[in-house]
Amino acid sequence: MAEACQIARKQDLPPPGGYKPIPYKRIPARQYFSGYAMFAGYIGMTIGGLYLYNINYKQVKKDQIEMRSAKMAIYPMLLAERDREYLKQLRRNRDAEAELMRDVPGWEVGTYYGERVYNLVPPDALVEPIFHEYYAHSDPVEWYKRAYIKFFS
Amino acid sequence: MSISPFLRSPFTDVTGGMISHQLLGRCQLEEARYMECLEAYGLERGKVKCSHLFGDFHECQTLTKQFKRFIAMRNERDKQIAEGKLKGDNKYLSPRVDSF
């Protein structure tokens, strides 16, 4: 009976030579650097980085010193130019005031309807104007520009 | 106006006013003159005798006359512009923005 049933059937048999052994042991991760190597690498890279940073820091300091020196060098000249322009503008303001208030009764240039602003200084002493007086004859747009510079920058 | 307490003690000094123009303010000279005059004459007589000094000190502190001058000049200029006496480039005289 066994020989009569011998037809070639596909059977799920083990591979020829048997199964390979089942791996059960741990496979730890591959270690590229040891602990000492990591510390050494860290310290080495830090030293290298600090060296490069130091070079840059010295250059930045030199640039700052140069810029500061340049600003200090030209500051008096800029201040003098501003003062010159200020005094010239005071003269122009006085002339504009004389021209504007020519027909107003009782007005004298530099006073408020004849009353001097400060009574105890000599009549030809310079009374420095306030912002409004300095800009009294100007376009309001110019006030706002100056006020913008003062308040927002 | 009262400038200092009637009886001075450490308790009144605790909340004393410590701000004055003497610390390099604009009105250092005027305030000094007025206060010295008040110190010489006292408060009651000083108010009458030092009123000329007070005028300058008040003007320096509040700048009212200078501001009133500005208002008067501005009104006059606006009036003249509205009348048409000033036109075009003559309407305004503007200073350079970095000169003040």
Side-chain angles (χ1 to χ4, degrees):
Chain A
M1 257 330 256
E3 285 77 25
C5 302
Q6 269 188 357
I7 322 171
R9 279 202 196 96
K10 231 164 167 215
Q11 282 184 317
D12 194 10
L13 291 172
Y19 286 111
K20 293 209 199 55
I22 297 176
Y24 63 92
K25 282 205 162 44
R26 275 180 174 209
I27 307 179
R30 166 122 194 253
Q31 298 205 322
Y32 291 103
F33 303 106
S34 70
Y36 293 116
M38 277 199 244
F39 275 121
Y42 171 73
I43 290 172
M45 283 199 232
T46 300
I47 289 174
L50 284 173
Y51 170 68
L52 295 170
Y53 177 82
N54 196 251
I55 294 176
N56 204 27
Y57 177 80
K58 287 194 277 218
Q59 184 60 35
V60 165
K61 279 288 174 222
K62 272 191 228 163
D63 289 342
Q64 281 176 346
I65 289 173
E66 191 181 344
M67 181 62 95
R68 212 180 307 137
S69 305
K71 283 185 181 167
M72 284 197 239
I74 65 174
Y75 183 68
M77 191 200 74
L78 294 175
L79 210 53
E81 278 193 2
R82 190 184 68 173
D83 288 342
R84 273 194 285 270
E85 180 60 28
Y86 177 72
L87 291 173
K88 284 187 195 163
Q89 182 65 36
L90 288 183
R91 193 167 283 239
R92 279 182 239 137
N93 276 357
R94 185 196 63 191
D95 296 339
E97 183 186 342
E99 155 98 30
L100 182 73
M101 310 297 264
R102 224 181 344 190
D103 304 320
V104 174
W107 187 271
E108 279 158 52
V109 174
T111 69
Y112 178 67
Y113 289 110
E115 270 180 64
R116 286 178 54 220
V117 176
Y118 288 109
N119 292 318
L120 297 174
V121 294
D124 56 353
L126 173 68
V127 171
E128 300 215 7
I130 56 176
F131 177 81
H132 297 280
E133 264 186 312
Y134 190 73
Y135 277 86
H137 306 283
S138 86
D139 202 352
V141 176
E142 302 290 322
W143 300 347
Y144 301 140
K145 276 195 215 166
R146 181 65 182 87
Y148 182 86
I149 294 175
K150 171 98 175 162
F151 290 126
F152 299 120
S153 68
Chain B
M1 108 182 127
S2 69
I3 293 185
S4 59
F6 191 70
L7 298 164
R8 278 189 304 157
S9 66
F11 301 107
T12 57
D13 287 344
V14 161
T15 53
M18 287 191 283
I19 304 175
S20 93
H21 290 278
Q22 295 306 304
L23 212 54
L24 301 175
R26 183 182 64 235
C27 306
Q28 189 182 7
L29 195 62
E30 279 93 356
E31 195 202 31
R33 283 190 185 146
Y34 183 58
M35 292 304 166
E36 280 166 7
C37 182
L38 275 191
E39 192 188 8
Y41 285 110
L43 194 53
E44 291 306 316
R45 284 180 72 199
K47 271 196 262 189
V48 173
K49 276 193 173 302
C50 314
S51 55
H52 59 291
L53 293 167
F54 178 68
D56 269 13
F57 175 47
H58 186 77
E59 167 56 30
C60 179
Q61 169 125 14
T62 55
L63 303 165
T64 38
K65 276 192 230 176
Q66 292 191 303
F67 191 69
K68 282 199 261 190
R69 263 169 50 85
F70 157 70
I71 295 286
M73 287 198 277
R74 199 74 212 170
N75 284 341
E76 178 61 27
R77 184 170 282 268
D78 288 342
K79 193 167 72 111
Q80 286 192 4
I81 290 177
E83 283 170 6
K85 277 201 228 165
L86 291 170
K87 37 166 131 309
D89 272 341
N90 288 349
K91 272 205 278 190
Y92 296 114
L93 170 78
S94 303
R96 262 181 69 154
V97 75
D98 53 353
S99 61
F100 184 63

